Structure formats: C-alpha cells, structure tokens
Amino acid sequence: MKTLITNGTVINATGTAQADVLVDAEKIVALFSPGTTDVQADHVINAAGKYVVPGGIDAHTHMEMPFGGTYASDTFETGTRAAAWGGTTSIIDFAIQKQGERVQDALETWHGLAAGNSAVDYSFHQVIGGVDDESLKAMESLVDEGVSSYKMFMAYPGVFYADDAQIVRAMQKARELGMMTMMHAENGPAIDVLAEQLVAQGKSTPYYHGLARAWQMEEEATHRAIMLADLTDTPLYIVHVGAKQALEQIAWARDKGKNVFAETCPQYLYLSLEKQLGASSEQWGDFEGAKWVCSTPLRAESEGHQDAMWQGLRTNDLQMVSTDHCPFCMKDQKELGKDDFRSIPNGIGSIEHRVDLLYQGVVDGRISLPRWVELISTTPARMFGMYGKKGVIQPGADADIVIYDPNGHTSIGVEKTHHMNMDYSAWEGFEIEGHVDVTMSRGKVLISDGQYHGTKSHGQFIKRGLSQALI
Ligand code: DUC
Ligand code: ZN
Ligand code: ZN
C-alpha cells in the first residue's frame, strides 16, 4: 500500500522544503519536488498549506506509574491514544524498579503493560530505584534489550531515592555499558525537612508544595549530579528542569564541554506558582492548586524561570521538551492530599498537548519551525538512540508523520479536545494557533478528519541503540 502526501511543506530539524512524500507500507521511501513524479499511489493526502513533520517523540511519560498510594490514571491504551491525537507517535516510558525488586521483573512488568495496549510505538528507560549489587549486575543486560538509558532519583527518600554513594556506583556501571544516566535532580532529604516544618505550621495547602521544593534544592542537586557525572566520566541527562538556577548549572557544565543534556516540560514554559497555585493570600487555602502539583514544582513567574526556560531552548542549553506525563484525577487521587500537600500524587497530564504547546512558541516568535521539530522529535530520537528510524522525514525512516495545519485552531479543555484519562485539564482554556490534522504511525493513519482510526495493538516496542547525541 502506497500513500503520497502532496503539496506540503516538509520540515526537518535541518530546514524546510516543498516536497511530496511517498510512503510504502511502514516506511518513507522517497521525497520528490512537487509535481515531478507520476507515481501511482493507493492513497493521496493533499497537504497544501500545511506542514509535514516527523511524528512527535515524548521521551518522558509515566503510564500507570505507582505513586503515593495510587496509580497514574492513563493506561498505555488511553495515554498513547491521547498521544496520537496530539501528534506524538513514539513515547519512552519508565519501567520502575523499586528497592528489593529485580530489575528484570520491573522491565517485564512494563512490557506486559504496554504490549498490545499501545496506539503508538513505545520504548522504556529503566528506573533503578534501589541501587545494590544485584541491580547493578542486572543493568548489564539492558542495552542488549534495547533499553540504553536509566534514571535515578535524588528526591523521594524512602521511595525511589538514590544517595550519592549509590549514584556514583550506578554511574560507573553506566560508563562501562555506554548507557545514558537520567536524573531527577532535587535534594529530597532537605525538601522533606522543609515540607514537614511547613505542615507543622499549618501550611498544608498545595501552594506550599512549591515552597518546600525550593529552587535551591533543584540547583544544588543539579550541580551535584553534574559533578558526580564528571567524576565518573559519564554522560548525564537532567529531566524536567524548571528552575533558572538549575539551568545555569547545566549551561556552565556545557560551556566547559561536559556531556550534560537536559529537557524542560511545557508546564515550566507556560505555568507558574502564582497563576496556577495562587500566590495571593486569599488563594493560599485553595485546593484547586492540587491540579498543578508536580515535581519539580511550578516556579514563580516573578523570578523569571519561565522566560529562562524559553531562552534555554533557544541557546540549546535545553535540548528538548518532554511532558513528564503523569496524570491523576482530582477525584479520589489528588484529593488524597486535601489536608496535607505531601499526600497529593505528583504529576500533570500533557501528552496530548506538547506538540501544540511548542508550536505556539513558533507563533509567538520564540522558536523557529525547524527548532520546533528538533525539540519535539529529532533531538529526542538522537538523544535516546533511535534517530534515522524516528525523528526525521527522509527515505528509510519509519513513516511516522504529522500533517500540521498552521491555519487551524486548537482549544484545549477537558470537554473540548481532551482524550487523556483525567477529570480536569491542567491546560484548560489554552488556545493554540495551529492544529494536528493527520497523525500517521508507521504508514497507518491514526488521526484524520477529526477521527481516531488507530487500534491498541498497533504500537510496537522500539529497541533503542546508544545515544547519538554524545560529543
Ligand atoms: N514528578 C512528577 O511530577 N510526577 C512523577 C514523578 C516525578 O518525578
Ligand atoms: Zn522526576
Ligand atoms: Zn518523570
């Protein structure tokens, strides 16, 4: 089955071109100057006036993540269907090993959750939640299994936390194996002290989650992670950067030529402690703020964190944007923390909106069209060892293609556009001056004409190679 996408503007990270794209079965097989071929296709899609871009890659998602006595509310089925609606055709989720569990068992559990339940292709990073001799040994088989990256947490003592000694040992193992170390960089033990003191003073509403997780705790942990990676001579990728001071640490390390990489997320570009969690004293008691309780936390706009994140995307001190998609409903989930912010499950759902929210950055003059593609697709593919197959419109690549309408419009809201399994939208009322018209995954149209045509058995596991982003 051949599909020809005609008259569109193809956008890769390297630039834009007027080109027709020929898809044969699951692959892109040719790009032509428009009208220069009489190829017979079974199906023609007219993309006149539209952008033809590589499918989005969300390299940081948490389907069904166990957290705070509950589970992230999107399954692989619901979360990847929402991804397709929003132009994302690949995700990398986290297979979570906790202390006392076998790494292989955790990975097998996540394979079991995703296989046959994914609308789009998926892969895994391994979380090592308990660094010990057994889990370090188990890391040795991960690269062969297509899992070339793993994550540790400097936060959440008693749950996923790794101390400095564990981090050093894991980084040494990663260096031996060529794996990418990903880090949740916040000083968890210090945060827990502040949180306990705030609650003891009666300051227990969601707003105080942001105060307890002070930017100093993100800056300090980011710096420490950089130095431990330097010590062990291993590359480092910092997840969900939200504090401008943490970004300064990353820029400093990169200026010194270190293999330090980082992502931010849409919530750190657009949302803030003041607007969403209420900095005026009347609102401090408002539990609505629980909708935006995530870690790292939303930070004060008055301190300039959001503008710093946009700037980091322009200067390439931040190389990509992932969602940290970790949705929880207000009812029965976020509500667990109505008397104490420490019991609010941490997370925001955005998988459906990342491509649109970043496109709005193009409309607003913050990033260029090729940079948009680079941030949402090409760099995630390179960073995590799947470039060529994913992240680019070129012959030989998987036909993961989004047709994006710059004259379309997307109104975000739980009633309007939302397909995630959540009873609210963290993005309610956001208006995007663009629209995902068609989402194609390995040659199959998943979204067109405002309809979903996918199946939960379409998505395949992506066996990834080593990072292609290293110097
Ligand atoms: N932060 C979140 O907001 N949710 C999941 C885990 C994390 O680190
Ligand atoms: Zn995290
Ligand atoms: Zn996360």
Side-chain angles (χ1 to χ4, degrees), residues 62 65 67 153 156 184 240 293-296 324 326 346-348:
H62 296 288
M65 181 185 184
F67 198 107
F153 289 84
Y156 307 126
H184 176 130
H240 51 50
V293 163
C294 58
S295 297
T296 57
D324 194 10
C326 193
N346 289 196
I348 285 183

